[in-house]
């Protein structure tokens, strides 16, 4: 157990709909990153939040957006869902500095299926 | 395009053997490298990270980094059937936003 939790575990949506995924980071971790992992691929970086601000973004369109809250929990929102958005969505947390800086731990993921 | 390349496998080894997993990367700005293990249907689990040239050992696992050759490897000694999983190699971006770039993973099967 990494202490990172995600909800829901599984989700089925229809093309064109919107979805919100949630993540609670490990205690003491103020940096949260989101990744998308398609079947048979490695995780792809979506974006990272630090102190409620986005401070890094991967090659994903603006319909992928996020939030981080004062308690460091985070949301990933995806608008206008497409079939290719079907994937495992992973949240990862780490401290912003100190000894554990390099150690990024993933939550269990949310499996999103778009039909 | 910054890339991390891994042999997709599958790599099959007998129980008790040494499994050797390899990875190359294109971004010379990457400072740290990570090995994650991912069981089918589960999320990636951090095994080790390395940021200095040379070897780093942790139990049955040894990570090796050669920055001149842009090469990272993971050795698993005394392989067990429970080691059967996909192993993901990742490199960091350097800088403050610290994103990880992952390879596609190598599927390892340890046969009893």
């Amino acid at each position: 157990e990494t202490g990172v939790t995600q909800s829901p575990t599984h989700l089925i949506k229809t093309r064109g709909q919107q979805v919100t995924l949630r993540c609670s980071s490990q205690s003491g971790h103020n940096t949260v990153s989101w990744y998308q992992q398609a079947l048979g691929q490695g995780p792809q970086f979506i974006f990272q939040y630090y102190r409620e601000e986005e401070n890094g973004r991967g090659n994903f369109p603006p319909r992928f957006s996020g939030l981080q809250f004062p308690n460091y929990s985070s949301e990933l929102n995806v608008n206008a869902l497409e079939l290719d958005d079907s994937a495992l969505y992973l949240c990862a947390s780490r401290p912003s500095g100190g000894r554990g800086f390099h150690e990024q731990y993933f939550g269990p993921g949310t499996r999103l299926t778009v039909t | 395009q910054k890339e991390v390349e891994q042999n997709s496998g599958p790599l099959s080894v007998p129980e008790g053997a040494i499994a050797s997993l390899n990875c190359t990367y294109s971004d010379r700005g990457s400072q740290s490298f990570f090995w994650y293990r991912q069981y089918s249907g589960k999320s990636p689990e951090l095994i080790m990270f390395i940021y200095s040239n040379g070897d780093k050992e942790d139990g049955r696992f040894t990570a090796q980094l050669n920055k001149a050759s842009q090469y990272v490897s993971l050795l698993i000694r005394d392989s067990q059937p429970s080691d059967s999983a996909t192993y993901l190699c990742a490199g960091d971006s350097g800088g403050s936003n610290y994103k990880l770039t992952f390879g596609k993973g190598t599927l390892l099967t340890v046969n009893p």
Side-chain angles (χ1 to χ4, degrees):
Chain A
E1 292 293 325
T2 64
V4 181
T5 61
Q6 293 185 243
S7 62
T9 304
H10 296 88
L11 202 52
I12 299 174
K13 289 286 191 177
T14 303
R15 190 171 50 183
Q17 287 187 315
Q18 178 266 342
V19 68
T20 297
L21 310 181
R22 295 178 174 82
C23 170
S24 291
S25 61
Q26 183 173 338
S27 177
H29 287 188
N30 55 13
T31 303
V32 175
S33 300
W34 286 91
Y35 289 78
Q36 179 197 65
Q37 186 177 23
L39 201 61
Q41 304 294 314
Q44 298 288 314
F45 176 76
I46 303 175
F47 43 56
Q48 176 178 274
Y49 277 82
Y50 170 65
R51 290 187 175 179
E52 302 175 56
E53 300 260 341
E54 182 184 300
N55 76 336
R57 189 175 184 93
N59 190 26
F60 281 81
R63 60 189 184 84
F64 285 79
S65 63
L67 285 173
Q68 186 181 30
F69 301 99
N71 66 354
Y72 306 135
S73 66
S74 178
E75 287 183 354
L76 165 65
N77 299 289
V78 187
N79 294 321
L81 283 167
E82 300 177 359
L83 297 179
D84 285 349
D85 296 334
S86 296
L88 180 66
Y89 287 85
L90 296 161
C91 169
S93 76
R94 63 180 180 88
S96 60
R99 187 177 177 184
F101 175 75
H102 291 280
E103 299 174 30
Q104 185 160 235
Y105 295 97
F106 286 97
T110 293
R111 174 74 62 186
L112 173 65
T113 302
V114 183
T115 62
Chain B
Q1 181 81 1
K2 297 172 183 177
E3 294 184 339
V4 174
E5 301 282 347
Q6 293 182 256
N7 187 328
S8 62
L11 173 65
S12 183
V13 301
E15 184 174 355
I18 296 174
S20 177
L21 303 158
N22 306 312
C23 168
T24 59
Y25 62 93
S26 64
D27 183 9
R28 287 196 173 273
S30 294
Q31 298 294 312
S32 303
F33 300 88
F34 304 80
W35 284 100
Y36 284 82
R37 176 174 62 196
Q38 187 172 27
Y39 293 112
S40 181
K42 301 294 186 181
S43 65
E45 171 192 7
L46 180 63
I47 300 173
M48 293 185 69
F49 68 90
I50 186 168
Y51 51 83
S52 298
N53 272 327
D55 296 358
K56 179 181 179 182
E57 186 174 319
D58 184 0
R60 295 187 296 114
F61 300 96
T62 299
Q64 300 173 317
L65 173 60
N66 184 325
K67 291 188 178 181
S69 300
Q70 296 177 251
Y71 177 87
V72 191
S73 66
L74 179 71
L75 300 177
I76 307 175
R77 290 181 299 280
D78 189 22
S79 295
Q80 301 297 309
S82 59
D83 294 326
S84 298
T86 295
Y87 288 79
L88 296 162
C89 173
D92 74 358
S93 58
S96 61
N97 68 13
Y98 202 76
K99 74 172 189 178
L100 295 184
T101 299
F102 283 84
K104 292 183 178 181
T106 298
L107 177 62
L108 171 67
T109 300
V110 181
N111 301 304

